[in-house]
Amino acid sequence: MVQTTPFLLVLSLALVAPGLSVRKCVLTGHWTNDLGSNMTIGPVNGKGDFAGSYHTAVTYTTNKIQLSPLQGSQHRTNQKSQPTFGFTVNWSFSDSVTVFTGQCFIDKGKEVLKTMWLLRSRVDNINDDWKATMVGMNVFTRLHSDK
């Protein structure tokens, strides 16, 4: 009987271990960033593509802020639990585009998107090219309405 105890222990661990899998970070849902901007990411398809919308809280223009479309892609190799991704926002209210790249993390049990971005604005001539691109970072957290 003593010899069966190690076998039963290993067997029970093998049966329970799949239930202890690592929680996956999922891009789909509603997010807010450190500046108060909000975005919604729709379902990620089998190729890793997704679409959504972005409502910025900040702008460099005097135009009225409008909801803007986003298109992106998530890295799908090996279905990692903390995927890398990128998306582009085509601003509806200005002649500019922003590209974001980042990674989805599980941090202290919560999903966090750590991103860097490049904002390219239109300029009138090549001599003004030096001031046409801005760079920054944002941290997004899931809005509490998503469970």
Side-chain angles (χ1 to χ4, degrees):
M1 190 67 147
V2 174
Q3 294 176 349
T4 59
T5 302
F7 172 75
L8 291 174
L9 179 61
V10 169
L11 179 62
S12 64
L13 285 173
L15 294 173
V16 172
L20 300 175
S21 64
V22 175
R23 181 174 168 210
K24 288 188 176 186
C25 194
V26 178
L27 292 179
T28 302
H30 303 286
W31 300 87
T32 189
N33 72 17
D34 45 320
L35 298 175
S37 298
N38 294 310
M39 73 172 167
T40 300
I41 296 178
V44 178
N45 70 21
K47 294 180 181 178
D49 299 329
F50 59 87
S53 60
Y54 198 105
H55 191 266
T56 186
V58 297
T59 182
Y60 192 71
T61 73
T62 57
N63 299 339
K64 182 181 177 194
I65 294 173
Q66 298 176 18
L67 190 66
S68 298
L70 70 79
Q71 294 284 328
S73 183
Q74 173 183 308
H75 194 260
R76 301 292 286 174
T77 303
N78 297 327
Q79 302 290 318
K80 299 293 184 189
S81 62
Q82 299 187 118
T84 56
F85 61 89
F87 61 88
T88 301
V89 179
N90 185 0
W91 300 111
S92 299
F93 58 92
S94 69
D95 292 334
S96 59
V97 172
T98 302
V99 293
F100 289 78
T101 186
Q103 187 169 354
C104 189
F105 290 101
I106 301 292
D107 184 39
K108 298 176 186 156
K110 295 184 179 187
E111 293 164 300
V112 175
L113 306 181
K114 296 280 286 190
T115 66
M116 289 194 72
W117 52 262
L118 292 171
L119 167 65
R120 177 63 189 210
S121 298
R122 187 191 62 78
V123 291
D124 291 329
N125 62 64
I126 198 166
N127 294 329
D128 290 332
D129 185 62
W130 65 271
K131 64 180 180 181
T133 303
M134 296 177 15
V135 62
M137 296 172 31
N138 285 123
V139 177
F140 292 84
T141 54
R142 188 175 293 283
L143 284 173
H144 298 292
S145 62
D146 287 347
K147 300 281 181 192

